Amino acid sequence: SFWVKDTIFVAGLGRVRQGDADPQQFSAGAMVYSCTDPMMSDAAMKYLLTRPAVPAPLDPNFCPFVLGKRHYMKKVADCAQYGKISEVQFAVERPGGCVGRDKLPVFADDHEGYDASLFLAGECIRYMLWQRGGFKLLISGPAKICADLKTAYSKGGKYDFEATTMPKIYGVPWEVSIVEKPEGLPAGKEAPVVCGKVASGCRIAFDLGKSDVKTVAVKDGEVLDSAETEWDVTNPDPQYHYDVIVKAMKATAAKLPGTVEAIGGSATGAVSADSEATWCDCFPNVPPDVYKQKVVPIFNNIAKKEFNGVPIKVINDGEATALAAVQ
């Protein structure tokens, strides 16, 4: 989301005005949140902020990303100054040889719209990172915006969270490189992960949320039982989490007329194509070295040790919701 001048709005959380005592913190109910991103410059606001035709009732100043980008693209189209528009292209590499590609027209660094170009390019990259993931960012385009984006996506930069989180997900160092010509960028490549749609026989499913473990027993596509089991995600002991999940799954499996034939699951955070909990934020306090050893293989271990090695498929909870929507 974008924000109107003098106001930061983070969807669903709250807002803070520049005149507040601490413009980098705001509250929502009993929680206090910090805004890690710097304030958008006035120049960027001019090129990115616009009001929807139908304002959001709870926040009339809210500006959706899609409208901000549309407003920016109109500014680009209306620019009559020769040589002031060029293009930045980027590629995000991830395991399996997959590559995400995108591009954005950008204003020259001496144009008043440059700040907006830098801001929007950074957000387009961030969107792709959290949409598809990646361990390496390659950028090609005008020298200054490439250098500024590289700084922003390096440790200690604006996108420090992404630079420090992606290595946790993929187990390799985060890398940002500038490529001289766009032709030097790797070609885009996508390899969709296919999830089975068969629900015959006796199956169980689970969803790991921040407050509870949801479990479901299914026989030939019909739900026989469902349950919610509370758990403490702040517990640093991975054995605690293992035991809670297994107990909930077995209690639900007991409602089936036969043995479990397959398991499906979802969890918050990043889950690998091999159902590994590479970076799931429902285990936030497990120490990193213990996390890698005990939590990353937790789903496969449960299937192997507790359910006789039946097939298991676990995906991100958002992906599970999207998959359900198209069935």
Side-chain angles (χ1 to χ4, degrees):
S1 59
F2 288 150
W3 310 280
V4 298
K5 184 178 180 181
D6 298 330
T7 302
I8 300 175
F9 178 74
V10 181
L13 299 182
R15 63 167 68 85
V16 60
R17 299 189 181 280
Q18 285 181 303
D20 289 351
D22 185 354
Q24 291 301 100
Q25 287 193 334
F26 59 95
S27 61
M31 300 297 290
V32 176
Y33 298 87
S34 295
C35 294
T36 57
D37 284 5
M39 295 292 295
M40 185 187 294
S41 70
D42 288 347
M45 290 180 185
K46 178 180 177 182
Y47 280 73
L48 291 172
L49 298 186
T50 184
R51 293 181 183 275
V54 180
L58 298 181
D59 188 70
N61 292 324
F62 174 71
C63 175
F65 179 90
V66 63
L67 294 186
K69 186 175 182 181
R70 189 182 301 170
H71 185 62
Y72 171 85
M73 296 299 285
K74 186 176 186 306
K75 291 282 189 180
V76 169
D78 291 343
C79 181
Q81 295 177 270
Y82 177 77
K84 296 300 180 182
I85 301 293
S86 53
E87 187 175 74
V88 66
Q89 297 190 31
F90 65 88
V92 177
E93 294 186 9
R94 61 188 192 276
C98 291
V99 179
R101 285 286 303 267
D102 203 356
K103 59 186 179 181
L104 182 75
V106 295
F107 291 99
D109 56 79
D110 60 351
H111 188 278
E112 68 168 1
Y114 176 77
D115 280 2
S117 294
L118 178 60
F119 186 99
L120 187 58
E123 293 307 304
C124 287
I125 293 171
R126 175 149 63 178
Y127 176 82
M128 181 174 287
L129 278 173
W130 290 109
Q131 180 195 49
R132 310 180 198 184
F135 56 80
K136 184 176 183 179
L137 169 64
L138 301 102
I139 316 164
S140 183
K144 180 170 173 52
I145 195 167
C146 285
D148 287 346
L149 285 171
K150 182 176 182 180
T151 299
Y153 271 96
S154 298
K155 288 189 176 181
K158 176 181 177 180
Y159 300 100
D160 179 75
F161 182 77
E162 283 71 20
T164 55
T165 300
M166 291 300 151
K168 299 176 184 177
I169 297 175
Y170 296 104
V172 296
W174 169 248
E175 185 178 347
V176 186
S177 298
I178 296 175
V179 178
E180 185 177 355
K181 297 181 179 181
E183 299 81 48
L185 294 172
K189 178 185 176 182
E190 301 298 336
V193 176
V194 178
C195 292
K197 300 178 181 179
V198 178
S200 60
C202 294
R203 299 165 182 261
I204 57 172
F206 67 87
D207 172 66
L208 303 186
K210 294 294 185 65
S211 59
D212 57 32
V213 177
K214 297 180 179 65
T215 49
V216 178
V218 178
K219 174 69 166 67
D220 294 329
E222 180 184 353
V223 175
L224 300 186
D225 187 69
S226 64
E228 296 182 8
T229 304
E230 292 187 0
W231 71 333
D232 178 14
V233 298
T234 66
N235 194 308
D237 182 6
Q239 189 62 47
Y240 162 82
H241 299 293
Y242 184 97
D243 292 343
V244 170
I245 296 168
V246 169
K247 183 178 180 181
M249 291 173 68
K250 287 190 172 182
T252 298
K255 306 294 182 179
L256 292 169
T259 58
V260 174
E261 298 174 42
I263 302 170
S266 64
T268 60
V271 182
S272 77
D274 297 320
S275 299
E276 295 174 318
T278 51
W279 186 73
C280 292
D281 52 356
C282 45
F283 311 100
N285 294 330
V286 178
D289 56 334
V290 179
Y291 185 102
K292 185 175 181 179
Q293 180 184 6
K294 297 291 186 178
V295 178
V296 170
I298 191 170
F299 303 135
N300 289 308
N301 284 345
I302 287 175
K304 181 180 179 179
K305 297 177 180 180
E306 310 295 340
F307 293 94
N308 299 314
V310 299
I312 184 171
K313 183 63 178 178
V314 184
I315 61 176
N316 169 265
D317 58 348
E319 292 176 331
T321 301
L323 187 63
V326 298
Q327 295 305 303

mmCIF file of all heavy atoms in Angstrom, residues 7-8 31 48 57 60 63 65 93 103 138 140 146 167 183 192 195 198 201 219-220 224 229 246 265 290 325:
data_model
loop_
_atom_site.group_PDB
_atom_site.id
_atom_site.type_symbol
_atom_site.label_atom_id
_atom_site.label_comp_id
_atom_site.label_asym_id
_atom_site.label_seq_id
_atom_site.Cartn_x
_atom_site.Cartn_y
_atom_site.Cartn_z
ATOM 1 N N THR A 7 1.083 11.153 6.267
ATOM 2 C CA THR A 7 0.488 10.016 6.964
ATOM 3 C C THR A 7 1.055 8.713 6.430
ATOM 4 O O THR A 7 1.148 8.526 5.235
ATOM 5 C CB THR A 7 -1.054 9.986 6.769
ATOM 6 O OG1 THR A 7 -1.594 11.203 7.241
ATOM 7 C CG2 THR A 7 -1.667 8.817 7.519
ATOM 8 N N ILE A 8 1.447 7.832 7.325
ATOM 9 C CA ILE A 8 1.826 6.472 6.948
ATOM 10 C C ILE A 8 0.644 5.587 7.293
ATOM 11 O O ILE A 8 0.092 5.679 8.373
ATOM 12 C CB ILE A 8 3.048 5.977 7.746
ATOM 13 C CG1 ILE A 8 4.251 6.885 7.497
ATOM 14 C CG2 ILE A 8 3.394 4.553 7.357
ATOM 15 C CD1 ILE A 8 5.447 6.495 8.353
ATOM 16 N N MET A 31 -0.856 -3.055 20.805
ATOM 17 C CA MET A 31 0.420 -3.340 20.157
ATOM 18 C C MET A 31 1.063 -2.067 19.627
ATOM 19 O O MET A 31 0.382 -1.161 19.147
ATOM 20 C CB MET A 31 0.221 -4.319 18.986
ATOM 21 C CG MET A 31 -0.368 -5.654 19.399
ATOM 22 S SD MET A 31 0.704 -6.572 20.513
ATOM 23 C CE MET A 31 2.028 -7.000 19.362
ATOM 24 N N LEU A 48 3.280 9.210 -7.243
ATOM 25 C CA LEU A 48 2.765 7.899 -6.869
ATOM 26 C C LEU A 48 1.415 7.903 -6.162
ATOM 27 O O LEU A 48 0.692 6.914 -6.214
ATOM 28 C CB LEU A 48 3.782 7.190 -5.964
ATOM 29 C CG LEU A 48 5.095 6.755 -6.635
ATOM 30 C CD1 LEU A 48 6.074 6.246 -5.588
ATOM 31 C CD2 LEU A 48 4.844 5.688 -7.686
ATOM 32 N N PRO A 57 -13.533 3.118 3.541
ATOM 33 C CA PRO A 57 -14.284 3.711 4.669
ATOM 34 C C PRO A 57 -13.451 3.910 5.936
ATOM 35 O O PRO A 57 -13.597 4.913 6.626
ATOM 36 C CB PRO A 57 -15.417 2.712 4.900
ATOM 37 C CG PRO A 57 -15.580 2.012 3.594
ATOM 38 C CD PRO A 57 -14.196 1.917 3.019
ATOM 39 N N PRO A 60 -9.792 6.886 4.399
ATOM 40 C CA PRO A 60 -10.006 7.550 3.113
ATOM 41 C C PRO A 60 -8.720 7.982 2.417
ATOM 42 O O PRO A 60 -8.734 8.306 1.236
ATOM 43 C CB PRO A 60 -10.868 8.770 3.491
ATOM 44 C CG PRO A 60 -10.601 8.986 4.937
ATOM 45 C CD PRO A 60 -10.395 7.629 5.518
ATOM 46 N N CYS A 63 -4.094 4.539 -0.465
ATOM 47 C CA CYS A 63 -3.844 4.480 -1.904
ATOM 48 C C CYS A 63 -3.306 3.103 -2.265
ATOM 49 O O CYS A 63 -2.173 2.776 -1.916
ATOM 50 C CB CYS A 63 -2.841 5.558 -2.324
ATOM 51 S SG CYS A 63 -2.356 5.459 -4.067
ATOM 52 N N PHE A 65 -1.544 0.035 -4.215
ATOM 53 C CA PHE A 65 -0.347 -0.023 -5.062
ATOM 54 C C PHE A 65 -0.704 0.092 -6.542
ATOM 55 O O PHE A 65 -0.045 0.807 -7.309
ATOM 56 C CB PHE A 65 0.399 -1.330 -4.793
ATOM 57 C CG PHE A 65 1.645 -1.516 -5.612
ATOM 58 C CD1 PHE A 65 2.871 -1.076 -5.150
ATOM 59 C CD2 PHE A 65 1.597 -2.138 -6.852
ATOM 60 C CE1 PHE A 65 4.029 -1.251 -5.899
ATOM 61 C CE2 PHE A 65 2.745 -2.318 -7.608
ATOM 62 C CZ PHE A 65 3.965 -1.874 -7.129
ATOM 63 N N GLU A 93 16.625 -14.710 -9.152
ATOM 64 C CA GLU A 93 16.880 -16.141 -9.300
ATOM 65 C C GLU A 93 16.466 -16.893 -8.039
ATOM 66 O O GLU A 93 16.608 -16.391 -6.928
ATOM 67 C CB GLU A 93 18.367 -16.389 -9.563
ATOM 68 C CG GLU A 93 18.857 -15.833 -10.885
ATOM 69 C CD GLU A 93 20.292 -16.235 -11.174
ATOM 70 O OE1 GLU A 93 20.843 -17.091 -10.436
ATOM 71 O OE2 GLU A 93 20.870 -15.707 -12.140
ATOM 72 N N LYS A 103 10.248 -5.328 -15.488
ATOM 73 C CA LYS A 103 10.891 -4.091 -15.927
ATOM 74 C C LYS A 103 10.000 -2.908 -15.594
ATOM 75 O O LYS A 103 8.794 -3.066 -15.351
ATOM 76 C CB LYS A 103 11.178 -4.127 -17.425
ATOM 77 C CG LYS A 103 9.943 -4.331 -18.297
ATOM 78 C CD LYS A 103 10.324 -4.497 -19.757
ATOM 79 C CE LYS A 103 9.076 -4.725 -20.629
ATOM 80 N NZ LYS A 103 9.446 -4.914 -22.064
ATOM 81 N N LEU A 138 19.461 -9.460 -9.790
ATOM 82 C CA LEU A 138 20.292 -8.865 -10.828
ATOM 83 C C LEU A 138 19.547 -7.685 -11.434
ATOM 84 O O LEU A 138 18.353 -7.803 -11.768
ATOM 85 C CB LEU A 138 20.641 -9.885 -11.914
ATOM 86 C CG LEU A 138 21.394 -11.128 -11.427
ATOM 87 C CD1 LEU A 138 20.427 -12.308 -11.321
ATOM 88 C CD2 LEU A 138 22.532 -11.466 -12.357
ATOM 89 N N SER A 140 19.624 -4.246 -14.223
ATOM 90 C CA SER A 140 20.251 -3.632 -15.392
ATOM 91 C C SER A 140 19.479 -2.379 -15.774
ATOM 92 O O SER A 140 18.246 -2.371 -15.791
ATOM 93 C CB SER A 140 20.277 -4.614 -16.575
ATOM 94 O OG SER A 140 20.947 -4.057 -17.682
ATOM 95 N N CYS A 146 20.480 1.806 -10.642
ATOM 96 C CA CYS A 146 20.982 0.459 -10.349
ATOM 97 C C CYS A 146 21.816 0.471 -9.071
ATOM 98 O O CYS A 146 21.681 -0.412 -8.220
ATOM 99 C CB CYS A 146 21.815 -0.061 -11.522
ATOM 100 S SG CYS A 146 20.839 -0.568 -12.955
ATOM 101 N N PRO A 167 18.306 -15.459 2.936
ATOM 102 C CA PRO A 167 19.270 -16.530 3.224
ATOM 103 C C PRO A 167 18.728 -17.576 4.199
ATOM 104 O O PRO A 167 19.112 -18.743 4.141
ATOM 105 C CB PRO A 167 20.459 -15.772 3.837
ATOM 106 C CG PRO A 167 20.364 -14.401 3.277
ATOM 107 C CD PRO A 167 18.892 -14.124 3.205
ATOM 108 N N GLU A 183 20.527 -7.697 -21.943
ATOM 109 C CA GLU A 183 20.697 -9.002 -22.580
ATOM 110 C C GLU A 183 21.484 -9.960 -21.688
ATOM 111 O O GLU A 183 21.444 -11.179 -21.879
ATOM 112 C CB GLU A 183 21.439 -8.845 -23.919
ATOM 113 C CG GLU A 183 20.716 -7.980 -24.948
ATOM 114 C CD GLU A 183 20.926 -6.489 -24.707
ATOM 115 O OE1 GLU A 183 22.076 -6.062 -24.502
ATOM 116 O OE2 GLU A 183 19.916 -5.769 -24.685
ATOM 117 N N PRO A 192 5.801 -24.324 -12.260
ATOM 118 C CA PRO A 192 4.747 -24.448 -11.244
ATOM 119 C C PRO A 192 4.833 -25.770 -10.471
ATOM 120 O O PRO A 192 5.170 -26.809 -11.030
ATOM 121 C CB PRO A 192 3.449 -24.394 -12.063
ATOM 122 C CG PRO A 192 3.836 -23.694 -13.335
ATOM 123 C CD PRO A 192 5.246 -24.130 -13.603
ATOM 124 N N CYS A 195 0.077 -29.658 -7.115
ATOM 125 C CA CYS A 195 -0.465 -30.306 -5.922
ATOM 126 C C CYS A 195 -1.561 -31.280 -6.338
ATOM 127 O O CYS A 195 -2.383 -30.963 -7.205
ATOM 128 C CB CYS A 195 -1.037 -29.266 -4.955
ATOM 129 S SG CYS A 195 0.196 -28.200 -4.199
ATOM 130 N N VAL A 198 -6.614 -35.362 -5.643
ATOM 131 C CA VAL A 198 -7.366 -36.564 -5.273
ATOM 132 C C VAL A 198 -7.612 -36.587 -3.763
ATOM 133 O O VAL A 198 -6.702 -36.318 -2.978
ATOM 134 C CB VAL A 198 -6.596 -37.826 -5.692
ATOM 135 C CG1 VAL A 198 -7.364 -39.082 -5.264
ATOM 136 C CG2 VAL A 198 -6.368 -37.835 -7.197
ATOM 137 N N GLY A 201 -10.109 -42.199 -0.241
ATOM 138 C CA GLY A 201 -9.529 -42.900 0.883
ATOM 139 C C GLY A 201 -9.550 -42.080 2.158
ATOM 140 O O GLY A 201 -10.273 -41.087 2.276
ATOM 141 N N LYS A 219 -12.703 -38.561 4.425
ATOM 142 C CA LYS A 219 -12.881 -39.899 3.841
ATOM 143 C C LYS A 219 -13.594 -39.744 2.508
ATOM 144 O O LYS A 219 -14.729 -39.268 2.439
ATOM 145 C CB LYS A 219 -13.722 -40.779 4.783
ATOM 146 C CG LYS A 219 -14.092 -42.151 4.179
ATOM 147 C CD LYS A 219 -12.872 -43.052 4.040
ATOM 148 C CE LYS A 219 -13.270 -44.500 3.770
ATOM 149 N NZ LYS A 219 -13.905 -44.698 2.448
ATOM 150 N N ASP A 220 -12.907 -40.114 1.427
ATOM 151 C CA ASP A 220 -13.460 -40.011 0.074
ATOM 152 C C ASP A 220 -14.036 -38.622 -0.207
ATOM 153 O O ASP A 220 -15.140 -38.474 -0.746
ATOM 154 C CB ASP A 220 -14.539 -41.079 -0.141
ATOM 155 C CG ASP A 220 -13.956 -42.487 -0.104
ATOM 156 O OD1 ASP A 220 -12.792 -42.644 -0.501
ATOM 157 O OD2 ASP A 220 -14.671 -43.411 0.328
ATOM 158 N N LEU A 224 -15.109 -35.690 7.879
ATOM 159 C CA LEU A 224 -15.723 -36.443 8.984
ATOM 160 C C LEU A 224 -15.548 -35.736 10.318
ATOM 161 O O LEU A 224 -16.380 -35.878 11.216
ATOM 162 C CB LEU A 224 -15.105 -37.839 9.068
ATOM 163 C CG LEU A 224 -15.246 -38.744 7.839
ATOM 164 C CD1 LEU A 224 -14.695 -40.133 8.166
ATOM 165 C CD2 LEU A 224 -16.700 -38.831 7.389
ATOM 166 N N THR A 229 -6.597 -26.958 17.952
ATOM 167 C CA THR A 229 -5.805 -27.194 19.156
ATOM 168 C C THR A 229 -4.912 -25.999 19.424
ATOM 169 O O THR A 229 -4.085 -25.630 18.579
ATOM 170 C CB THR A 229 -4.918 -28.450 18.991
ATOM 171 O OG1 THR A 229 -5.753 -29.571 18.665
ATOM 172 C CG2 THR A 229 -4.135 -28.728 20.260
ATOM 173 N N VAL A 246 1.649 -33.429 16.361
ATOM 174 C CA VAL A 246 1.376 -34.868 16.247
ATOM 175 C C VAL A 246 0.147 -35.259 17.063
ATOM 176 O O VAL A 246 -0.717 -36.022 16.585
ATOM 177 C CB VAL A 246 2.598 -35.689 16.701
ATOM 178 C CG1 VAL A 246 2.229 -37.168 16.848
ATOM 179 C CG2 VAL A 246 3.728 -35.534 15.698
ATOM 180 N N GLY A 265 -1.025 -30.346 4.194
ATOM 181 C CA GLY A 265 -0.887 -29.334 5.235
ATOM 182 C C GLY A 265 -0.545 -27.961 4.692
ATOM 183 O O GLY A 265 -0.172 -27.807 3.525
ATOM 184 N N VAL A 290 19.226 -24.920 15.805
ATOM 185 C CA VAL A 290 18.258 -25.969 16.156
ATOM 186 C C VAL A 290 17.137 -25.999 15.122
ATOM 187 O O VAL A 290 16.649 -27.075 14.743
ATOM 188 C CB VAL A 290 17.683 -25.727 17.566
ATOM 189 C CG1 VAL A 290 16.660 -26.804 17.922
ATOM 190 C CG2 VAL A 290 18.798 -25.699 18.601
ATOM 191 N N ALA A 325 -9.594 -21.607 -3.693
ATOM 192 C CA ALA A 325 -10.473 -20.663 -4.390
ATOM 193 C C ALA A 325 -10.722 -21.053 -5.839
ATOM 194 O O ALA A 325 -11.751 -20.691 -6.411
ATOM 195 C CB ALA A 325 -9.885 -19.263 -4.326
#
